[in-house]
Amino acid sequence: MKKVAKGNFGYIEYNRKFAAIRTIVALIICLIIFFTGLIIYHSNKSAFSIIAALGCLPTGLSAVNMIMYMKAHPCSKEAYDIIESHRNGLLIRYDLEMTSYEENYSIAAATVLDKNVVCFTENKALDVANCEKHIRNQISQSGYSNYTVKVFKDINAFCTRLDQLEQIRKSKNIDPQAIEDSWVPGTVETCALVLLSVSL
């Protein structure tokens, strides 16, 4: 199973499988340790039981992580193919699941260019206004104020906006990938990196 980097298409699907396998393996190890102690000492009052119980902590965390990925909404292959046909020189991030105390915000695809954050969601139940507010709050904490944030549910409207941004990119000779590549760890993250940081 080839690892999929955060922000790439297929990230959520990869982590669903990885988290499920990790959780099952961790659970099996805990059970093996527990039953080994039970067989050897004919009692659950042994060091094996303590080790197995301690092993349940990371197993539980892994299970919670797995559930979060299972509830997330990844970008569909159909939407991905359409978006890629309009990508051109833009930097598109996929499979962003943003969490907050109130709710989760599923972003299938997002791009950042020239003080514009443009996103697409396939989650029809998503509260777009709250999602836009959440993204605006998150990026403003890193110093990105006066940014326009727009979340689309209509893929055609999203792709039309991508085409408009591509014209801006060409006219201003902006290279989004070069901007990301030039980021130095330890310095303020780029706006696109902030979106990745606040996602699962």
Side-chain angles (χ1 to χ4, degrees):
M1 190 166 59
K2 187 177 180 182
K3 184 174 182 179
V4 179
K6 195 176 193 178
N8 289 349
F9 175 72
Y11 173 77
I12 288 176
E13 284 294 339
Y14 165 80
N15 278 283
R16 280 178 177 175
K17 294 174 184 175
F18 180 78
I21 293 169
R22 182 183 59 202
T23 302
I24 292 167
V25 170
L27 181 60
I28 289 171
I29 291 171
C30 288
L31 291 173
I32 288 172
I33 293 171
F34 175 77
F35 284 111
T36 298
L38 205 58
I39 291 167
I40 294 172
Y41 296 103
H42 304 289
S43 169
N44 61 2
K45 296 177 180 178
S46 69
F48 284 88
S49 296
I50 295 170
I51 294 168
L54 291 174
C56 288
L57 295 174
T59 302
L61 288 174
S62 182
V64 169
N65 190 250
M66 177 186 70
I67 292 167
M68 291 180 73
Y69 279 113
M70 291 296 182
K71 292 176 68 177
H73 294 79
C75 181
S76 67
K77 182 65 166 64
E78 295 77 16
Y80 170 75
D81 289 338
I82 294 169
I83 292 166
E84 283 295 296
S85 69
H86 291 265
R87 178 179 190 148
N88 296 300
L90 297 173
L91 178 67
I92 309 284
R93 299 295 192 192
Y94 292 97
D95 289 355
L96 304 179
E97 186 77 12
M98 302 177 187
T99 59
S100 72
Y101 290 112
E102 295 80 22
E103 59 184 304
N104 290 357
Y105 304 104
S106 302
I107 299 299
T111 190
V112 178
L113 185 84
D114 197 34
K115 288 204 168 189
N116 292 284
V117 178
V118 182
C119 307
F120 168 67
T121 181
E122 291 185 281
N123 181 7
K124 300 306 179 185
L126 182 77
D127 187 324
V128 169
N130 280 349
C131 183
E132 290 173 349
K133 181 181 178 182
H134 177 73
I135 293 171
R136 202 173 290 112
N137 287 341
Q138 292 299 314
I139 64 174
S140 67
Q141 290 175 22
S142 295
Y144 297 103
S145 57
N146 301 318
Y147 270 59
T148 299
V149 178
K150 179 66 179 173
V151 177
F152 292 92
K153 288 187 177 180
D154 183 339
I155 193 166
N156 293 320
F158 175 69
C159 289
T160 296
R161 186 62 181 133
L162 291 183
D163 294 339
Q164 293 168 351
L165 291 177
E166 174 62 12
Q167 293 305 312
I168 294 171
R169 188 195 69 77
K170 282 182 177 178
S171 66
K172 295 190 175 183
N173 195 29
I174 301 171
D175 186 344
Q177 188 60 60
I179 293 171
E180 298 306 303
D181 292 342
S182 64
W183 176 71
V184 178
T187 61
V188 176
E189 291 180 326
T190 65
C191 188
L193 275 176
V194 173
L195 294 182
L196 286 183
S197 297
V198 299
S199 302
L200 278 181

